[in-house]
Amino acid sequence: MWMIEESWFENLPVKIIGKRVICFKKATSTNDLAWLEVSRNAPEGTIIFAGAQSKGRGRFGRTWLAPPGAGICASVVTRPNLNIEKAPLVLVVGAIAVCELIRERFNLPATIRWPNDVMLGEKKIAGIIIETKCITRQPEAIVLGIGFNINLSEAEIPAELKGEITSLAIESGRPMELKEVSRHFVIYLDKWYQKITAGRFDEIALAWQGMSGLLGRSVILETEGQKIAGLVTDLDPVAGIKLQLPEGERQFRGEKITLLRLVDPRP
Ligand code: BTN
């Protein structure tokens, strides 16, 4: 059974995300469905799930693979009281929520690969994207889209992605109960989104720094067609990443970074 059902989310202990849940068997992109909900004045925290997705969008025009039953494809309508510069906080709480869920419920050593990939070792298990539409400096809504591989099997991974992506089922060696994972997914998202509404930005930055383990490490990043190597001296969801370069320190904003990798092996 791979359909996500609305009844699974009744009476969840949540305050904002998951108070209203809409499930579809399949969709082109749940982000499109979330924008449709925004145009209908959907309340903040409305979350849309699809059991399969044919045109899932990733960052930088990439696509997201989601055959039927492979995992969670979800988009959340958020309406945070934030200026556009602070929108990356929404992306970061999405990554923290999934990373913490995997660590706490499945005891697997998930990490966050800057800025938005959730990883198990060198393999990606979840991808996160935010989309905004603004007329003023404060977006009317931010759509948070998350793809999370739950029961994706090795056989379903195309040749070009072999060794690059994984799923909870592959890592645990057994099929996962989609209902349980989806319910916890909403609870963790709600918990971390509430840190934004409560203005607890320091807590978000600390959790994110801890899960990404990049402070003090040597990295190479790719930004606007350039590859730059340096030592990470600061990491902030809004201001971005600060690198120590031979000519001094330089800050790079997250949305401009297409790739970041560690130079030195993990200690
Ligand atoms: C990335 O890794 O670049 C982000 C991938 C985000 C994919 C999810 S799947 C649910 C939601 N709907 C979309 O079209 N994209 C996001």
Side-chain angles (χ1 to χ4, degrees):
M1 186 53 171
W2 54 268
M3 275 287 297
I4 296 193
E5 294 174 25
E6 284 162 22
S7 62
W8 295 354
F9 305 96
E10 282 163 13
N11 305 317
L12 274 191
V14 292
K15 287 210 172 105
I16 306 170
I17 295 182
K19 293 298 268 183
R20 181 163 173 259
V21 179
I22 308 170
C23 297
F24 291 86
K25 192 170 176 186
K26 34 187 168 168
T28 46
S29 158
T30 51
N31 273 25
D32 291 340
L33 297 171
W35 282 116
L36 192 66
E37 285 300 312
V38 171
S39 71
R40 292 173 176 158
N41 281 321
E44 164 154 84
T46 298
I47 180 162
I48 292 139
F49 284 99
Q53 210 177 227
S54 55
K55 280 196 181 144
R57 288 197 287 279
R59 288 173 88 227
F60 305 110
R62 297 175 192 136
T63 52
W64 181 260
L65 172 80
I72 287 175
C73 295
S75 299
V76 188
V77 174
T78 72
R79 300 183 188 279
N81 186 15
L82 295 177
N83 273 346
I84 184 68
E85 295 78 26
K86 291 210 164 77
L89 280 166
V90 177
L91 183 73
V92 164
V93 294
I96 295 173
V98 176
C99 189
E100 191 178 78
L101 157 67
I102 298 172
R103 287 179 176 195
E104 291 185 357
R105 313 299 316 181
F106 297 94
N107 212 14
L108 291 168
T111 53
I112 296 174
R113 183 174 66 186
W114 165 280
N116 63 327
D117 293 338
V118 182
M119 308 290 293
L120 278 170
E122 292 305 308
K123 295 179 183 173
K124 178 162 165 174
I125 190 162
I128 295 128
I129 188 171
I130 49 164
E131 294 177 347
T132 52
K133 286 183 189 161
C134 304
I135 305 169
T136 64
R137 288 177 65 74
Q138 180 163 343
E140 177 205 354
I142 299 176
V143 166
L144 168 66
I146 304 181
F148 180 11
N149 298 329
I150 313 289
N151 280 321
L152 184 77
S153 65
E154 284 285 7
E156 285 172 310
I157 300 179
E160 67 276 14
L161 290 176
K162 287 257 186 263
E164 303 276 321
I165 63 173
T166 191
S167 71
L168 273 184
I170 294 171
E171 298 297 323
S172 320
R174 63 186 166 91
M176 291 290 131
E177 187 59 60
L178 190 58
K179 178 175 174 180
E180 267 325 288
V181 186
S182 314
R183 283 166 57 86
H184 281 117
F185 171 76
V186 175
I187 292 169
Y188 277 80
L189 269 183
D190 182 62
K191 169 187 160 184
W192 281 98
Y193 187 69
Q194 280 182 49
K195 310 262 185 218
I196 293 185
T197 54
R200 287 155 70 176
F201 304 149
D202 287 358
E203 238 178 278
I204 297 172
L206 266 180
W208 185 60
Q209 285 169 5
M211 288 173 181
S212 65
L214 282 179
L215 279 180
R217 310 294 303 275
S218 292
V219 298
I220 295 184
L221 58 79
E222 205 176 274
T223 180
E224 299 174 294
Q226 262 190 306
K227 278 203 171 91
I228 299 168
L231 190 81
V232 181
T233 55
D234 195 20
L235 202 59
D236 180 85
V238 177
I241 193 164
K242 205 181 265 176
L243 292 190
Q244 181 67 54
L245 304 175
E247 65 273 23
E249 278 191 325
R250 198 172 144 196
Q251 189 99 39
F252 301 88
R253 277 187 69 92
E255 61 272 22
K256 297 259 169 77
I257 299 175
T258 33
L259 199 84
L260 183 143
R261 65 181 173 76
L262 287 164
V263 177
D264 50 342
R266 290 250 168 219

